[in-house]
Amino acid sequence: MIKDITIGQYFPGNSVLHRMDPRVKILLTGVFIVMLFAAKGIEGLAVGILFTVTAFLFSKIPLKMMGKSLKPIIPIVIFTAVLNLFFIRTGKVLWEWKIIKLTQEGIDTSLFMVIRIICLICGSSLLTYTTSPIDLTDAIERLMSPLKKIKVPVHELAMMMTIALRFIPTLIEETDKIMSAQKARGADMETGSLMQKAKAMIPILIPLFVASFRHAEELALAMECRCYHGGEGRTRMKQLKMSILDLWGSLFCGVFLAGVIVIDRVLG
Amino acid sequence: MAVIKTEDLTYVYGDGTPFRKVAVDHVNLEIEKGDFAGIIGHTGSGKSTLIQHFNGLLRPTSGSVYIDGERLWDNKARLRPIRFKVGLVFQYPEYQLFEETVYKDIAFGPKNMGLDEDEIDRRIKETAKLVGLSDSVMQKSPFELSGGQKRRVAIAGVMAMEPEVLILDEPASGLDPKGREQILGMIKEYHKAKGNTVLLVSHSMEDIARNVSKILVMNDSKLFCYDETAKVFHRSAELEKMGLAVPQVTRVFDRLKAMGFDMGEDVYTVKFGSGLLLDRLGKKGAK
Ligand SMILES: Nc1ncnc2c1ncn2[C@@H]1O[C@H](COP(=O)(O)OP(=O)(O)OP(=O)(O)O)[C@@H](O)[C@H]1O
Ligand SMILES: [Mg+2]
């Protein structure tokens, strides 16, 4: 059913990660990515894995959800693994058949890459799992606000994103209703050739467009009635505030980053 | 034989999620051919959910629906013919209009039925007359019309399919009293002209009392009763406990009864009530 599409992947909760400031979370996700790419050897990566697992445990997100976010990247993982397995031709040869050659180095590298990708996806999806889309846009707006100096309409962009996010469920609901109404008039959307199916979308798309324009007009009017005039001098109902949690989070992240670098230097 | 029959019909929204909601709960119901019935119930009582089962738009979570003795969902290919047999007009149907002209929009349903041109034309002309759309309006874009006119076009779009059962979800909501009266009038006209079964969901007890002969009451996802109008309004105390008001005139006569002026009969339309009252007063010699 069309309703089952989830928007973003926010998983409501009250864990430590949920309560952290979204700005800090975005920045720390950046640090996390640096951490993974700083790791040159398997030992450094082990620290990265440890960090991912700890962050995951702190987030209290069910393991099932993690599996869900990994599903779409399975092809990429397989592709990376195969590429590294067969195209790295240096190192001790383990098995050879015609032009195919498996080497120890190939296996090591492909394992390393696969683990790194999985960590990358799991770790960064924690950001979207623990931060609502609205908080996320808010934080992006704040982080990008220096760009206002070079005339980038940061507030307007963020506002557009917020509005778009807000209206996705509304439009899904509307699509459902219109589909039901046209089905009740005998519209047939399941059978027929591709051309016929495309044509069958018209009775749904037109009312949907009309509805979107209506929503846009009503919303614009409502915003004007409330004296909305853009970002200049605008204060927020929900202030983003950093707390001691964010300090601990940053410290935690910093320690692991240092850990990765040191271990790589010492053992690598 | 009952044209609509349900057996332990149950529907659950969002089953298996934290938002699980039983919207229709073990409903057993038989609606006879030719009935003109009103469906009432407080907001969220499951009226809209219930009627969407009658033409196979929603699949029961458990239980079954029979149309003319045929069990729905046994054969999915039969659902489309069933939808031509049971026409459903949604709440705010004007938002489903899409064609270039009113004429073409009304033709959408009949065309889907695979009728020939002449028959489609005949039906459109007939329904247009019934709902009061003039020839000049028929060639306009539906998006140029007023809200009330759009509503009529949308209802005509389903009526032109000449369904054996016509179901309307709050067809008069959001209209002024005159608009309401016209919409309800044309529904009544349709029922009279065709003798088809008509189900009418409404929040207005007055509208219901004036038009229908039977009432179906939904309460908290359950069927409370399906009975003759008089018998249902007779249970005014129970209805009020559910948050449903009986028609104002019924309340007036209830109070009169409590004060000792028993009229002997239940009153639920102003016309009948005033007649009764004048009668009584006349008998006593007053003018
Ligand atoms: N698409 C949906 N998803 C989840 N729950 C729904 C959905 N549609 C309705 N419900 C819930 O099911 C219950 C019954 O809804 P329904 O629309 O059938 O009520 P109703 O009697 O038609 O109310 P109203 O008089 O306001 O139109 C309500 O509690 C509603 O919240
Ligand atoms: Mg409803």
Side-chain angles (χ1 to χ4, degrees):
Chain A
M1 196 63 181
I2 197 159
K3 249 187 219 103
D4 300 330
I5 305 166
T6 50
I7 314 120
Q9 38 184 2
Y10 180 51
F11 190 86
N14 195 28
S15 74
V16 181
L17 253 68
H18 282 90
R19 277 177 289 150
M20 273 172 74
D21 188 303
R23 286 169 297 179
V24 175
K25 277 191 273 188
I26 292 177
L27 292 177
L28 291 186
T29 306
V31 173
F32 168 70
I33 293 168
V34 169
M35 184 196 304
L36 284 181
F37 282 93
K40 294 271 170 333
I42 199 78
E43 300 84 2
L45 190 63
V47 179
I49 296 173
L50 188 66
F51 178 81
T52 316
V53 172
T54 325
F56 166 70
L57 290 178
F58 270 125
S59 74
K60 301 225 174 78
I61 302 287
L63 195 61
K64 215 172 79 196
M65 297 294 287
M66 272 297 159
K68 237 165 105 186
S69 65
L70 279 177
K71 230 191 199 156
I73 61 141
I74 288 174
I76 300 176
V77 170
I78 292 174
F79 182 72
T80 317
V82 170
L83 209 67
N84 283 297
L85 264 185
F86 296 114
F87 287 87
I88 294 180
R89 314 184 72 91
T90 50
K92 200 172 120 212
V93 177
L94 294 177
W95 184 73
E96 207 172 347
W97 182 72
K98 293 207 177 136
I99 53 158
I100 300 172
K101 196 153 93 177
L102 275 187
T103 67
Q104 184 66 50
E105 205 180 318
I107 293 176
D108 287 350
T109 318
S110 90
L111 261 179
F112 183 81
M113 290 298 221
V114 165
I115 292 174
R116 188 152 79 182
I117 294 178
I118 292 176
C119 278
L120 192 69
I121 298 299
C122 287
S124 43
S125 58
L126 281 181
L127 173 68
T128 44
Y129 277 135
T130 61
T131 320
S132 74
I134 297 292
D135 277 349
L136 215 52
T137 30
D138 249 15
I140 292 171
E141 180 183 348
R142 297 303 287 273
L143 286 174
M144 296 206 317
S145 59
L147 292 181
K148 272 185 200 150
K149 295 240 162 58
I150 54 165
K151 297 245 157 40
V152 178
V154 175
H155 171 78
E156 283 69 20
L157 287 175
M159 188 54 130
M160 272 158 64
M161 229 160 106
T162 313
I163 291 173
L165 284 170
R166 159 65 187 79
F167 274 95
I168 288 171
T170 310
L171 286 178
I172 290 179
E173 201 178 298
E174 215 127 89
T175 314
D176 249 5
K177 263 195 205 140
I178 295 168
M179 268 166 82
S180 296
Q182 305 301 27
K183 268 198 220 157
R185 294 210 278 166
D188 180 12
M189 280 162 278
E190 274 112 44
T191 57
S193 66
L194 201 65
M195 199 53 207
Q196 279 169 320
K197 271 188 198 158
K199 248 179 138 178
M201 293 307 289
I202 295 174
I204 293 159
L205 290 181
I206 292 180
L208 197 61
F209 267 122
V210 174
S212 315
F213 282 117
R214 197 179 63 241
H215 285 316
E217 258 166 36
E218 281 169 4
L219 183 67
L221 195 66
M223 282 166 84
E224 231 168 301
C225 289
R226 289 165 177 75
C227 302
Y228 176 79
H229 57 80
E232 203 60 45
R234 194 174 160 79
T235 56
R236 299 176 170 276
M237 186 167 100
K238 242 174 82 184
Q239 295 282 350
L240 294 176
K241 262 209 206 87
M242 292 203 213
S243 65
I244 191 83
L245 267 180
D246 299 296
L247 189 68
W248 280 114
S250 311
L251 218 64
F252 183 75
C253 211
V255 166
F256 270 83
L257 178 64
V260 169
I261 293 169
V262 167
I263 285 178
D264 255 357
R265 288 287 168 287
V266 172
L267 297 172
Chain B
M1 189 177 55
V3 63
I4 299 175
K5 189 175 154 208
T6 66
E7 271 177 13
D8 280 326
L9 174 63
T10 302
Y11 189 82
V12 183
Y13 281 111
D15 209 1
T17 69
F19 313 105
R20 190 187 135 91
K21 162 91 199 165
V22 182
V24 174
D25 194 359
H26 291 90
V27 168
N28 289 292
L29 180 68
E30 277 187 38
I31 296 170
E32 297 300 327
K33 225 175 203 123
D35 277 356
F36 190 175
I39 301 181
I40 58 175
H42 60 80
T43 292
S45 57
K47 304 180 294 292
S48 302
T49 311
L50 177 70
I51 57 173
Q52 285 179 64
H53 284 90
F54 295 162
N55 70 342
L57 279 175
L58 290 179
R59 184 177 193 152
T61 308
S62 68
S64 12
V65 181
Y66 298 86
I67 301 296
D68 265 344
E70 180 182 351
R71 187 161 177 252
L72 299 194
W73 293 100
D74 280 347
N75 178 1
K76 271 197 183 176
R78 290 283 306 146
L79 284 177
R80 222 166 146 239
I82 291 287
R83 286 182 192 145
F84 299 135
K85 215 182 227 183
V86 183
L88 177 58
V89 180
F90 277 82
Q91 198 170 5
Y92 298 109
E94 53 272 31
Y95 296 142
Q96 72 188 27
L97 303 177
F98 71 98
E99 276 286 9
E100 290 157 69
T101 66
V102 170
Y103 184 93
K104 281 191 188 167
D105 208 290
I106 299 178
F108 182 65
K111 241 188 207 153
N112 283 332
M113 294 172 79
L115 300 172
D116 63 59
E117 293 282 325
D118 293 341
E119 176 65 9
I120 294 178
D121 191 62
R122 180 192 71 76
R123 289 190 176 193
I124 294 172
K125 296 243 163 78
E126 198 182 305
T127 25
K129 206 165 130 205
L130 182 74
V131 302
L133 292 168
S134 66
D135 283 346
S136 63
V137 172
M138 295 302 281
Q139 293 312 322
K140 275 192 186 166
S141 155
F143 300 106
E144 293 170 18
L145 306 181
S146 77
Q149 279 175 318
K150 278 188 200 165
R151 180 79 56 94
R152 282 188 223 181
V153 173
I155 294 175
V158 176
M159 277 184 179
M161 292 159 62
E162 297 188 354
E164 274 172 45
V165 182
L166 178 66
I167 309 174
L168 303 109
D169 198 348
E170 301 194 33
S173 69
L175 296 180
D176 61 9
K178 200 166 154 223
R180 298 181 73 85
E181 205 47 54
Q182 283 170 344
I183 296 270
L184 291 168
M186 72 194 217
I187 294 166
K188 215 172 174 177
E189 199 57 44
Y190 176 87
H191 175 69
K192 228 162 73 191
K194 296 258 180 306
N196 289 356
T197 315
V198 176
L199 302 183
L200 178 69
V201 177
S202 177
H203 272 132
S204 159
M205 294 304 150
E206 271 74 22
D207 288 350
I208 290 273
R210 247 198 325 266
N211 293 295
V212 307
S213 51
K214 289 179 106 177
I215 298 183
L216 188 162
V217 186
M218 288 293 288
N219 182 34
D220 259 340
S221 320
K222 292 194 177 66
L223 177 71
F224 173 71
C225 68
Y226 177 55
D227 216 335
E228 316 262 314
T229 311
K231 287 193 187 137
V232 172
F233 282 140
H234 190 68
R235 304 166 79 168
S236 56
E238 284 164 281
L239 291 180
E240 280 185 30
K241 218 180 267 167
M242 288 177 217
L244 293 171
V246 293
Q248 281 171 350
V249 57
T250 309
R251 284 225 295 274
V252 170
F253 276 82
D254 275 355
R255 288 286 282 280
L256 280 175
K257 195 172 184 175
M259 287 161 72
F261 300 100
D262 196 346
M263 297 290 165
E265 277 179 83
D266 285 313
V267 177
Y268 46 87
T269 62
V270 175
K271 210 164 133 197
F272 182 69
S274 59
L276 203 65
L277 212 55
L278 285 175
D279 225 33
R280 189 58 75 88
L281 292 174
K283 265 184 202 156
K284 284 193 174 166
K287 189 74 198 159

